[in-house]
Amino acid sequence: MLQEHIRNIAIIAHVDHGKTTLVDKLLRATDAFRDNQHVEDRVLDSNDQERERGITILSKNISIEYKGVKINVIDTPGHADFGGEVERVLKMADSALLLVDAAEGPMPQTRFVLRHAIDAGLAIMVVVNKIDREGAHPEEALNACLDLMMDLGATDEQLEFSMEHVVYASAVNGFARRNLEDTTTTMYPLLDMVVDELPAPHGDPDASLGMQIVTIDHSAYVGRIGIGRVYSGTIHTQDKILVVKNDGSRAMSQVKQLFTFDYLGRKECTEVAAGDIAAVVGVDATDIGDVYTDPTNPVEIDPIEIDPPTLAVVFEPSTSPLVGRDGDIVGGRQLKARLEQERENNVTMRIEELPDKTGVEVAGRGILHLSVLMETMRREGYEFQVGRPRVLFKKDEQGNKLEPIEQAVVEAPSEYSGKVIEVFGDAGGIMTHMDSASTHTQLEFKIPTRGIMGLKNRVLNVTHGEAIFYHTFLEYGPFAGDIGSRQNGTMISMTTEKAVAYALGTLQERGQLFVEPGTECYEGMLVGERSRPGDMVVNIARTKSLGNQRSATADIAVQLTPPRTFSLEEALEYIMDDELVEVTPKNIRLRKRILNATDRKKWAVRSGLVNK
């Protein structure tokens, strides 16, 4: 039974192809805001980090109304590190708007999200965005999308549907057109196609209840809130329901409150029928994949499967001499409690305490996925330290070691393509495709996740900052053997003092500095990178010896090159196994795991890394 008054659509795209901007314009076109209401651009990117990074991290549910039809819109992340969000929320949709940049065409993460949409059997409508951008080739972008769908195994019905349902748009300028010759200046052609031609959800409101939870929200007042789609039947407040977990266990519960999505907010209601998306309050410890059903006539729904994590990092309480200077929360017990809270709310991460209780291991889908959690915690006032990310290996049925393999794409000026290939070769990458244009070359590689770490900076260095670099998890493949790591050594502070310009002036001749005059440093902290292999212990507080004679150049100030600064992702990719990243609300510092130089030498001898 079709529910013609509802449409459930997901918007999928590569990072920065305009998903969130498009949703902004759809909201405005359906009068979601008052005429005098001030609304931020990219209104769905409500998280501070989403606004700063310009990416969608968490999927969002909203609804708009057009021609009497309720359209539930699901804004999905475009970055593969947040693929756990994509996989789940697509189960709520019947169709997807595939948004693609008219100049760039499909990109690596377009492949990632589109593969999940095709596997879910969604009807896919292609929206070619940014058609007014310089260098736009809308028809080529459309053909590339259709080719990509064929490569990903789309059915004949899906391909035929996508060929017939195409919209050309400029989300930033607020217009969508059925063909390139139109001069329409509104978003209504896109809304008309959604309402008139995209499939309505199936579901019988009078059947037995079947609802599956795909997202968990949390409230300090009511606890966990399960969000999902009602596939059959109708759910009411005060209903007694059977909760079936992913592992098959069952428990009874009662619905205390019900909400549906209403534009940017939620509206409390007494019932939600098949085909719609609802938020349910009252089911204790509800989790992703839970099925809510009728106790007397249970409905079976396939469990939700999520791709496993590929990287793990250990969070430890900070042991820095400067601990407590920046943050309010520094204890191991508070750190463990915060990560346990994250485990409750974030199903895409695996969070487990180490057997020796010295730290908590957090496994995620990539460096960005892990760094977003770290950035959130440092903004909450936590101080902690983390080690080098560890790749998670698997074994196949024959016992062979497998490791995560990524697909990487680099677009760079053609004169640098040879250097890019060389850099990837050193990191274990294998080139799979090369496409040369007049001035730029697009290179595709298969490369182990181990090789990706730290690679972005090397690619930017050899291309003089002109490369565009994307990568996404592809598959688990055979172990690639040893991969070259950081070649250059580091400069390590020998004392706990503030850095002095005179000392830094002599050190910058040996390599690249990480600190500037006045920076608080401590023994064992990394203050720079050498221009050759091997670590070097340095005195960052050395001052000039003063005599009773003056020279003509005595008062000339030391000329220092600006220091290299690290983002969290860059710091995690840079460090080696014997190093840590110290994270505080105000600083990101690199340090040795063992701070004292003598103790480091003893450890190296015991470990067999150096001779006695």
Side-chain angles (χ1 to χ4, degrees):
M1 185 183 297
L2 292 176
Q3 303 301 310
E4 294 290 356
H5 62 290
I6 296 175
R7 298 291 183 277
N8 297 318
I9 61 171
I11 300 186
I12 59 177
H14 181 78
V15 175
D16 202 33
H17 277 200
K19 291 190 315 295
T20 310
T21 304
L22 182 73
V23 174
D24 277 4
K25 299 303 181 183
L26 293 178
L27 284 164
R28 294 176 190 277
T30 52
D31 300 324
F33 310 118
R34 300 187 308 273
D35 290 340
N36 63 345
Q37 184 175 353
H38 172 72
V39 181
E40 297 277 358
D41 288 337
R42 295 187 297 115
V43 67
L44 284 193
D45 282 349
S46 52
N47 182 302
D48 287 344
Q49 289 193 64
E50 291 181 318
R51 289 192 168 277
E52 291 166 17
R53 297 171 184 266
I55 62 173
T56 300
I57 294 173
L58 302 172
S59 65
K60 315 288 193 312
N61 290 67
I62 64 165
S63 78
I64 56 180
E65 191 165 319
Y66 182 67
K67 290 184 176 179
V69 175
K70 180 181 182 182
I71 305 171
N72 287 312
V73 181
I74 304 155
D75 183 28
T76 64
H79 200 288
D81 280 22
F82 309 106
E85 293 277 330
V86 177
E87 296 158 30
R88 301 196 314 267
V89 299
L90 287 181
K91 287 185 70 86
M92 293 193 290
D94 301 289
S95 54
L97 305 189
L98 172 61
L99 202 64
V100 62
D101 189 307
E104 296 182 356
M107 297 295 282
Q109 279 135 17
T110 312
R111 170 183 287 271
F112 172 79
V113 289
L114 182 57
R115 172 168 60 86
H116 286 295
I118 289 171
D119 291 345
L122 302 186
I124 297 165
M125 169 179 159
V126 181
V127 181
V128 182
N129 192 28
K130 304 186 184 182
I131 60 171
D132 52 353
R133 176 182 172 181
E134 184 179 350
H137 302 286
E139 293 175 343
E140 291 180 17
L142 172 61
N143 290 334
C145 284
L146 297 174
D147 290 343
L148 179 58
M149 290 180 67
M150 291 180 65
D151 290 345
L152 295 174
T155 64
D156 291 342
E157 291 78 9
Q158 284 176 317
L159 283 169
E160 189 174 335
F161 187 92
S162 298
M163 290 168 62
E164 295 174 356
H165 295 82
V166 181
V167 171
Y168 301 93
S170 172
V172 72
N173 291 311
F175 67 79
R177 298 165 181 173
R178 296 294 292 264
N179 58 67
L180 292 170
E181 288 73 38
D182 280 354
T183 56
T184 309
T185 58
T186 68
M187 298 300 294
Y188 295 128
L190 190 154
L191 288 166
D192 286 333
M193 185 178 285
V194 168
V195 169
D196 298 336
E197 301 182 37
L198 293 193
H202 284 271
D204 183 358
D206 299 322
S208 186
L209 173 65
M211 175 181 179
Q212 188 169 40
I213 300 305
V214 299
T215 304
I216 299 294
D217 199 359
H218 188 272
S219 164
Y221 302 102
V222 299
R224 305 189 95 184
I225 303 169
I227 300 171
R229 174 171 162 178
V230 182
Y231 290 96
S232 64
T234 303
I235 188 169
H236 306 82
T237 53
Q238 306 308 318
D239 272 356
K240 292 279 198 301
I241 57 173
L242 177 67
V243 181
V244 183
K245 298 282 188 182
N246 266 350
D247 61 4
S249 61
R250 302 181 170 212
M252 292 295 296
S253 192
Q254 184 175 19
V255 179
K256 294 179 180 175
Q257 284 180 291
L258 266 180
F259 297 87
T260 57
F261 292 90
D262 183 36
Y263 289 97
L264 289 171
R266 295 177 190 164
K267 179 173 66 176
E268 189 167 0
C269 57
T270 57
E271 64 177 39
V272 179
D276 208 348
I277 295 171
V280 179
V281 175
V283 181
D284 294 334
T286 190
D287 212 340
I288 303 297
D290 285 0
V291 175
Y292 299 170
T293 186
D294 187 339
T296 58
N297 188 19
V299 172
E300 290 190 6
I301 300 177
D302 292 338
I304 292 176
E305 295 183 6
I306 299 170
D307 285 351
T310 57
L311 282 178
V313 70
V314 174
F315 286 63
E316 305 170 14
S318 178
T319 56
S320 161
L322 304 181
V323 65
R325 298 275 186 96
D326 298 342
D328 304 321
I329 312 171
V330 299
R333 187 165 46 83
Q334 293 100 319
L335 180 66
K336 178 186 171 186
R338 173 62 180 83
L339 291 171
E340 285 179 346
Q341 176 191 338
E342 187 69 22
R343 179 170 57 195
E344 289 290 312
N345 300 323
N346 192 338
V347 71
T348 60
M349 284 184 169
R350 193 182 70 225
I351 300 175
E352 298 172 349
E353 188 173 15
L354 295 178
D356 59 4
K357 310 293 185 184
T358 57
V360 179
E361 185 175 74
V362 179
R365 292 286 284 273
I367 293 283
L368 180 61
H369 193 198
L370 296 167
S371 69
V372 165
L373 171 61
M374 296 176 199
E375 182 66 33
T376 301
M377 290 175 62
R378 73 188 286 235
R379 294 182 185 199
E380 294 171 358
Y382 286 85
E383 283 193 29
F384 53 92
Q385 62 193 29
V386 292
R388 189 185 189 195
R390 174 177 68 87
V391 171
L392 300 176
F393 300 104
K394 293 197 327 187
K395 288 192 175 181
D396 61 14
E397 296 175 354
Q398 288 75 40
N400 299 316
K401 192 175 184 180
L402 302 177
E403 67 175 324
I405 305 294
E406 311 235 350
Q407 180 191 31
V409 176
V410 178
E411 186 176 318
S414 298
E415 63 263 32
Y416 302 130
S417 58
K419 291 283 187 183
V420 172
I421 294 170
E422 183 180 335
V423 166
F424 270 86
D426 292 341
I430 300 172
M431 189 170 70
T432 58
H433 182 71
M434 181 175 182
D435 186 12
S436 294
S438 56
T439 58
H440 280 67
T441 299
Q442 183 171 302
L443 303 161
E444 292 187 18
F445 299 87
K446 277 187 175 182
I447 180 169
T449 299
R450 289 179 298 140
I452 284 286
M453 288 192 280
L455 197 62
K456 185 176 181 180
N457 281 333
R458 292 169 62 193
V459 169
L460 290 175
N461 284 340
V462 300
T463 60
H464 295 198
E466 294 188 51
I468 301 172
F469 181 26
Y470 297 106
H471 61 92
T472 180
F473 172 74
L474 184 64
E475 61 189 2
Y476 268 85
F479 180 66
D482 291 335
I483 291 176
S485 57
R486 190 180 77 210
Q487 300 299 312
N488 294 356
T490 57
M491 302 180 199
I492 308 165
S493 173
M494 66 169 60
T495 57
T496 301
E497 295 180 80
K498 288 186 177 180
V500 174
Y502 178 76
L504 297 181
T506 57
L507 291 177
Q508 74 175 359
E509 299 172 6
R510 306 286 190 92
Q512 188 176 31
L513 296 174
F514 300 161
V515 297
E516 59 188 0
T519 301
E520 288 266 13
C521 301
Y522 54 82
E523 182 183 12
M525 178 174 157
L526 306 190
V527 295
E529 180 182 286
R530 292 188 70 190
S531 55
R532 61 180 65 185
D535 293 336
M536 177 174 68
V537 178
V538 299
N539 183 0
I540 45 82
R542 185 165 67 92
T543 56
K544 185 176 182 180
S545 300
L546 299 178
N548 58 1
Q549 295 182 346
R550 295 166 62 89
S551 69
T553 59
D555 296 325
I556 296 177
V558 176
Q559 298 294 313
L560 292 175
T561 304
R564 176 180 174 184
T565 58
F566 290 87
S567 67
L568 262 173
E569 296 98 273
E570 290 167 346
L572 290 169
E573 291 178 336
Y574 182 81
I575 60 172
M576 303 299 288
D577 290 335
D578 64 336
E579 296 164 354
L580 298 169
V581 178
E582 179 194 349
V583 183
T584 79
K586 296 180 181 177
N587 293 287
I588 296 170
R589 303 185 184 100
L590 309 184
R591 51 163 284 186
K592 286 293 183 181
R593 185 174 288 276
I594 301 172
L595 297 177
N596 182 268
T598 304
D599 292 342
R600 281 199 302 276
K601 288 180 181 176
K602 291 178 180 176
W603 174 84
V605 170
R606 287 197 305 270
S607 303
L609 300 178
V610 296
N611 296 324
K612 293 184 180 180

